[in-house]
Amino acid sequence: MLKKMRKGGKCCGSDTDPLELHGLKKIVLVGNPNVGKSVLFNRLTGAYVTVSNYPGTTVEVSRGKGKIGDKYFEVVDTPGMYSLLPITEEEAVSRRLLLNEHPEAVVHVVDAKNLPRMLPLTLQLIEAGLPVVLVLNMMDEAKKLGLDVNVSSLQKRLGVPVVSAVFIKGEGVEQLKRVIKENGKLVS
Amino acid sequence: MASLLVNEMNYNPDIQAAVQKIESSLKHTYKLSTRTIALLLLQGDKEIHQLVQEKENSYAGIQKVIQETSVAFEQPINYVITLKRQELTNSLLADAVKEGKVTDNNRFSEILNKLTINPFTGIPILLLVLYYGLYQFVGVFGAGTLVDFLEADVFEIYINPLVNVWTARYIPWPVVQDLIANDYGIITLGIRYAIAIILPIVGTFFIAFSIIEDSGYLPRLALLVDRVFKAIGLNGRAVIPMTLGFGCDTMATMVTRTLETKRERIIATLLLALAIPCSAQLGVILALLSGKPLALAAWVSFLTLVFLFIGFLTAKLMPGDKPIFYMEVPPLRMPTIANVVSKTYTRMQWYFLEILPIFILASVLIWAGRLTGLFDLVVKALEPVMNLIGLPAEAAVAFLFGFFRRDYGAAGLYDLQQNGALSTEQLVVAAATLTLFVPCIAQFSMMLKERGLKTALAIAGFIFPFAFLAGYVLNLLLKMIGGI
């Protein structure tokens, strides 16, 4: 299962055999550091990339194969980014990916506890004309803090699908898959 | 369907006008909307500027628009745009999010959070983490109990004799016998080092590190040491590559990407290559010195001193902006066993698959070197250097091993000590010099990849003589105070 680790000298990025992924439609996971992109990646692909509780665990792009319905997709995990205007090298890695590839869906994973800090990137992704799905992760922790997020109102205002999730427990993964399947090419 | 919202994103009439002008002169198609491209150009994004300059004939005109727009503002355009975006976000959220009462106030985690950040309680906590996590678990249990068991009970009693007898019986040529068995054979040396010495140490380190990582302790440690790190040209953020370096410097060199400036990345890469021992090396050294607390203290303080001194010096010598510290602190969380297990497993698998071929290759090279007499020649050549830092000639072998991998060298030292060839002072000098000594092949190739040929060579070119010079000084110092 852990093909990535076998390529000599590379440690933290996943590289499934490129031929295996050739021609598959892409789902790109983006978002601030430490919001759970890698957890989602592992859930979608059944592979394992390192997950930790601090920002900056992922510094390379990881690619894996995931199945939604009966269709296979290439799932791409990216280093965290705060904005489309990169400051650090890891952010530049993620932005370059968006500049060069043509994803079927861009899943913006955010920490539901910190929406004011996270949504500016959602706005930028929408502005860039990307097929965005917004995922509010860590909803359980947000609820404990007394935050009540009205998902449908947010969805209406943003004009993109919004899914609430607790990826570490697996909640929201199926719904996200459904949304991606139904909205095939989310671009308007 | 998103167009409605995009219309709401009116940054400012001047910016809006500039965006429209730039958009109309962009003739090519981009993966991102022309509006986004225009905005990034306005904010001075270097990569986008380069891209547009290559693609568009109208680049000069675009530059003029940007110039004119930026002089119209007192603040940087980036700031104006970010502010506007935040306003829109806030208005969106005002409708969609209601703040209620905090239902689950986790007192314990809040108190713990404060304790880890406050220097008065944070430093004792750090020492506790180091003592139990690193010293007791990795040093005493991993490098002591586990290594002893695998080395003495498994390899020495069962595997090595068996391999030696078997090769002696079935392989008639002594030359081939030596390749597989005896002192430097692939199985008796290469595989033994990898499985009996390195594996238990790296394994215990990664278990401890994974638990610490998942608890959210590292960002708090970053806050705590930020001030010290500032003095050496880094900021608290660098805690993560630095602590990861104690696991594997190769991995850590890659993680220096998370640092914001090129200057910080170079300083961090240098310090990792010089003064941070990797877990395998650390474990072996802890095991070597564990019976001698003074020796261990001498080794730790000498390396800390070198770390701070060289960091301070490079920070002074290297031009560039001082780093500002900004890091998110995630909540303290209970690590889940499943994640700790799979993470440790993944890292160990990566590590093991990387080292095993190198260990075997090293065995083959040493075998070939001995066969041709080259090995003895190099050991001879290193002899004066060894003498200079007060070590016996045999120690040259460990340093030669160190070329292949940091931990391999430390493991060679382990063998020397088992044979009683080193005094305590010599052990400290050897351990310190070996820790400073060249980064291993894997780390060096990562340095090449991340920092480029010039920087990587410059770092290696500095470290090599410096390590021996430092060993020399340490030897003198120890002699001066009359030994430990």
Side-chain angles (χ1 to χ4, degrees), chain B residues 167 171-182 185-186 367 371:
Chain B
T167 43
I171 300 173
W173 311 280
V175 173
V176 184
Q177 283 173 13
D178 279 349
L179 178 63
I180 297 166
N182 303 332
I186 292 176
W367 169 79
L371 206 63

PDB file of all heavy atoms in Angstrom, chain B residues 167 171-182 185-186 367 371:
ATOM      1  N   THR B 167      28.841 -20.259   6.062  1.00  0.00           N
ATOM      2  CA  THR B 167      29.655 -19.804   4.934  1.00  0.00           C
ATOM      3  C   THR B 167      30.993 -20.550   4.899  1.00  0.00           C
ATOM      4  O   THR B 167      31.484 -20.899   3.836  1.00  0.00           O
ATOM      5  CB  THR B 167      29.947 -18.290   5.001  1.00  0.00           C
ATOM      6  OG1 THR B 167      30.275 -17.955   6.336  1.00  0.00           O
ATOM      7  CG2 THR B 167      28.781 -17.470   4.534  1.00  0.00           C
ATOM      8  N   ILE B 171      31.080 -22.316   1.422  1.00  0.00           N
ATOM      9  CA  ILE B 171      31.779 -21.459   0.456  1.00  0.00           C
ATOM     10  C   ILE B 171      33.274 -21.646   0.622  1.00  0.00           C
ATOM     11  O   ILE B 171      33.845 -21.291   1.657  1.00  0.00           O
ATOM     12  CB  ILE B 171      31.385 -19.977   0.647  1.00  0.00           C
ATOM     13  CG1 ILE B 171      29.869 -19.846   0.449  1.00  0.00           C
ATOM     14  CG2 ILE B 171      32.122 -19.087  -0.355  1.00  0.00           C
ATOM     15  CD1 ILE B 171      29.315 -18.486   0.762  1.00  0.00           C
ATOM     16  N   PRO B 172      33.907 -22.197  -0.358  1.00  0.00           N
ATOM     17  CA  PRO B 172      35.317 -22.554  -0.200  1.00  0.00           C
ATOM     18  C   PRO B 172      36.266 -21.355  -0.250  1.00  0.00           C
ATOM     19  O   PRO B 172      37.396 -21.463   0.193  1.00  0.00           O
ATOM     20  CB  PRO B 172      35.583 -23.497  -1.384  1.00  0.00           C
ATOM     21  CG  PRO B 172      34.511 -23.195  -2.374  1.00  0.00           C
ATOM     22  CD  PRO B 172      33.347 -22.651  -1.639  1.00  0.00           C
ATOM     23  N   TRP B 173      35.801 -20.207  -0.803  1.00  0.00           N
ATOM     24  CA  TRP B 173      36.738 -19.097  -0.966  1.00  0.00           C
ATOM     25  C   TRP B 173      36.650 -18.130   0.202  1.00  0.00           C
ATOM     26  O   TRP B 173      35.574 -17.542   0.436  1.00  0.00           O
ATOM     27  CB  TRP B 173      36.448 -18.342  -2.262  1.00  0.00           C
ATOM     28  CG  TRP B 173      36.326 -19.274  -3.426  1.00  0.00           C
ATOM     29  CD1 TRP B 173      37.350 -19.841  -4.121  1.00  0.00           C
ATOM     30  CD2 TRP B 173      35.104 -19.745  -4.014  1.00  0.00           C
ATOM     31  NE1 TRP B 173      36.837 -20.659  -5.105  1.00  0.00           N
ATOM     32  CE2 TRP B 173      35.476 -20.612  -5.067  1.00  0.00           C
ATOM     33  CE3 TRP B 173      33.747 -19.536  -3.745  1.00  0.00           C
ATOM     34  CZ2 TRP B 173      34.523 -21.264  -5.851  1.00  0.00           C
ATOM     35  CZ3 TRP B 173      32.806 -20.180  -4.519  1.00  0.00           C
ATOM     36  CH2 TRP B 173      33.203 -21.040  -5.571  1.00  0.00           C
ATOM     37  N   PRO B 174      37.722 -17.894   0.926  1.00  0.00           N
ATOM     38  CA  PRO B 174      37.711 -16.971   2.075  1.00  0.00           C
ATOM     39  C   PRO B 174      37.252 -15.572   1.678  1.00  0.00           C
ATOM     40  O   PRO B 174      36.614 -14.863   2.463  1.00  0.00           O
ATOM     41  CB  PRO B 174      39.172 -16.948   2.530  1.00  0.00           C
ATOM     42  CG  PRO B 174      39.790 -18.173   1.976  1.00  0.00           C
ATOM     43  CD  PRO B 174      39.032 -18.538   0.736  1.00  0.00           C
ATOM     44  N   VAL B 175      37.586 -15.175   0.445  1.00  0.00           N
ATOM     45  CA  VAL B 175      37.217 -13.834  -0.005  1.00  0.00           C
ATOM     46  C   VAL B 175      35.697 -13.666  -0.008  1.00  0.00           C
ATOM     47  O   VAL B 175      35.153 -12.674   0.479  1.00  0.00           O
ATOM     48  CB  VAL B 175      37.782 -13.589  -1.429  1.00  0.00           C
ATOM     49  CG1 VAL B 175      37.266 -12.272  -1.970  1.00  0.00           C
ATOM     50  CG2 VAL B 175      39.296 -13.592  -1.386  1.00  0.00           C
ATOM     51  N   VAL B 176      35.001 -14.647  -0.520  1.00  0.00           N
ATOM     52  CA  VAL B 176      33.538 -14.586  -0.559  1.00  0.00           C
ATOM     53  C   VAL B 176      32.965 -14.770   0.843  1.00  0.00           C
ATOM     54  O   VAL B 176      31.960 -14.149   1.208  1.00  0.00           O
ATOM     55  CB  VAL B 176      32.976 -15.642  -1.539  1.00  0.00           C
ATOM     56  CG1 VAL B 176      31.460 -15.512  -1.647  1.00  0.00           C
ATOM     57  CG2 VAL B 176      33.622 -15.479  -2.912  1.00  0.00           C
ATOM     58  N   GLN B 177      33.620 -15.598   1.627  1.00  0.00           N
ATOM     59  CA  GLN B 177      33.190 -15.771   3.021  1.00  0.00           C
ATOM     60  C   GLN B 177      33.149 -14.414   3.726  1.00  0.00           C
ATOM     61  O   GLN B 177      32.195 -14.097   4.425  1.00  0.00           O
ATOM     62  CB  GLN B 177      34.168 -16.677   3.772  1.00  0.00           C
ATOM     63  CG  GLN B 177      34.015 -18.151   3.475  1.00  0.00           C
ATOM     64  CD  GLN B 177      35.132 -18.962   4.123  1.00  0.00           C
ATOM     65  OE1 GLN B 177      35.861 -18.467   4.977  1.00  0.00           O
ATOM     66  NE2 GLN B 177      35.265 -20.212   3.703  1.00  0.00           N
ATOM     67  N   ASP B 178      34.215 -13.629   3.509  1.00  0.00           N
ATOM     68  CA  ASP B 178      34.307 -12.323   4.161  1.00  0.00           C
ATOM     69  C   ASP B 178      33.241 -11.352   3.662  1.00  0.00           C
ATOM     70  O   ASP B 178      32.832 -10.445   4.375  1.00  0.00           O
ATOM     71  CB  ASP B 178      35.690 -11.700   3.923  1.00  0.00           C
ATOM     72  CG  ASP B 178      36.717 -12.284   4.893  1.00  0.00           C
ATOM     73  OD1 ASP B 178      36.279 -12.977   5.840  1.00  0.00           O
ATOM     74  OD2 ASP B 178      37.915 -12.056   4.702  1.00  0.00           O
ATOM     75  N   LEU B 179      32.813 -11.551   2.431  1.00  0.00           N
ATOM     76  CA  LEU B 179      31.775 -10.665   1.893  1.00  0.00           C
ATOM     77  C   LEU B 179      30.463 -10.855   2.642  1.00  0.00           C
ATOM     78  O   LEU B 179      29.745  -9.902   2.921  1.00  0.00           O
ATOM     79  CB  LEU B 179      31.577 -10.950   0.395  1.00  0.00           C
ATOM     80  CG  LEU B 179      30.480 -10.137  -0.290  1.00  0.00           C
ATOM     81  CD1 LEU B 179      30.799  -8.654  -0.264  1.00  0.00           C
ATOM     82  CD2 LEU B 179      30.287 -10.591  -1.729  1.00  0.00           C
ATOM     83  N   ILE B 180      30.188 -12.125   2.983  1.00  0.00           N
ATOM     84  CA  ILE B 180      28.907 -12.405   3.631  1.00  0.00           C
ATOM     85  C   ILE B 180      29.036 -12.407   5.147  1.00  0.00           C
ATOM     86  O   ILE B 180      28.182 -11.874   5.853  1.00  0.00           O
ATOM     87  CB  ILE B 180      28.364 -13.758   3.141  1.00  0.00           C
ATOM     88  CG1 ILE B 180      28.107 -13.672   1.634  1.00  0.00           C
ATOM     89  CG2 ILE B 180      27.085 -14.132   3.879  1.00  0.00           C
ATOM     90  CD1 ILE B 180      27.884 -15.004   0.982  1.00  0.00           C
ATOM     91  N   ALA B 181      30.100 -12.993   5.645  1.00  0.00           N
ATOM     92  CA  ALA B 181      30.193 -13.204   7.092  1.00  0.00           C
ATOM     93  C   ALA B 181      31.433 -12.541   7.681  1.00  0.00           C
ATOM     94  O   ALA B 181      32.023 -11.662   7.059  1.00  0.00           O
ATOM     95  CB  ALA B 181      30.204 -14.697   7.379  1.00  0.00           C
ATOM     96  N   ASN B 182      31.792 -12.983   8.866  1.00  0.00           N
ATOM     97  CA  ASN B 182      32.959 -12.482   9.607  1.00  0.00           C
ATOM     98  C   ASN B 182      32.831 -10.987   9.961  1.00  0.00           C
ATOM     99  O   ASN B 182      31.733 -10.456   9.986  1.00  0.00           O
ATOM    100  CB  ASN B 182      34.239 -12.805   8.860  1.00  0.00           C
ATOM    101  CG  ASN B 182      34.354 -14.321   8.630  1.00  0.00           C
ATOM    102  OD1 ASN B 182      33.814 -15.107   9.429  1.00  0.00           O
ATOM    103  ND2 ASN B 182      35.003 -14.706   7.559  1.00  0.00           N
ATOM    104  N   GLY B 185      31.046  -8.544   7.106  1.00  0.00           N
ATOM    105  CA  GLY B 185      30.179  -9.152   6.097  1.00  0.00           C
ATOM    106  C   GLY B 185      28.831  -8.455   5.951  1.00  0.00           C
ATOM    107  O   GLY B 185      28.405  -7.714   6.829  1.00  0.00           O
ATOM    108  N   ILE B 186      28.195  -8.728   4.822  1.00  0.00           N
ATOM    109  CA  ILE B 186      26.886  -8.119   4.569  1.00  0.00           C
ATOM    110  C   ILE B 186      25.897  -8.479   5.672  1.00  0.00           C
ATOM    111  O   ILE B 186      25.166  -7.627   6.172  1.00  0.00           O
ATOM    112  CB  ILE B 186      26.335  -8.582   3.198  1.00  0.00           C
ATOM    113  CG1 ILE B 186      27.184  -7.993   2.066  1.00  0.00           C
ATOM    114  CG2 ILE B 186      24.882  -8.171   3.024  1.00  0.00           C
ATOM    115  CD1 ILE B 186      26.771  -8.477   0.702  1.00  0.00           C
ATOM    116  N   TRP B 367      34.429  -4.279   2.072  1.00  0.00           N
ATOM    117  CA  TRP B 367      35.008  -5.566   1.669  1.00  0.00           C
ATOM    118  C   TRP B 367      35.985  -5.363   0.505  1.00  0.00           C
ATOM    119  O   TRP B 367      37.115  -5.835   0.526  1.00  0.00           O
ATOM    120  CB  TRP B 367      33.869  -6.504   1.291  1.00  0.00           C
ATOM    121  CG  TRP B 367      34.294  -7.778   0.617  1.00  0.00           C
ATOM    122  CD1 TRP B 367      34.803  -8.897   1.221  1.00  0.00           C
ATOM    123  CD2 TRP B 367      34.236  -8.064  -0.789  1.00  0.00           C
ATOM    124  NE1 TRP B 367      35.067  -9.858   0.285  1.00  0.00           N
ATOM    125  CE2 TRP B 367      34.722  -9.385  -0.949  1.00  0.00           C
ATOM    126  CE3 TRP B 367      33.810  -7.350  -1.906  1.00  0.00           C
ATOM    127  CZ2 TRP B 367      34.806  -9.987  -2.202  1.00  0.00           C
ATOM    128  CZ3 TRP B 367      33.880  -7.962  -3.139  1.00  0.00           C
ATOM    129  CH2 TRP B 367      34.378  -9.257  -3.290  1.00  0.00           C
ATOM    130  N   LEU B 371      40.027  -5.734   0.441  1.00  0.00           N
ATOM    131  CA  LEU B 371      40.609  -6.660  -0.527  1.00  0.00           C
ATOM    132  C   LEU B 371      41.732  -6.001  -1.312  1.00  0.00           C
ATOM    133  O   LEU B 371      42.775  -6.591  -1.571  1.00  0.00           O
ATOM    134  CB  LEU B 371      39.502  -7.124  -1.484  1.00  0.00           C
ATOM    135  CG  LEU B 371      39.705  -8.489  -2.140  1.00  0.00           C
ATOM    136  CD1 LEU B 371      39.720  -9.582  -1.075  1.00  0.00           C
ATOM    137  CD2 LEU B 371      38.595  -8.741  -3.153  1.00  0.00           C
TER     138      LEU B 371
END
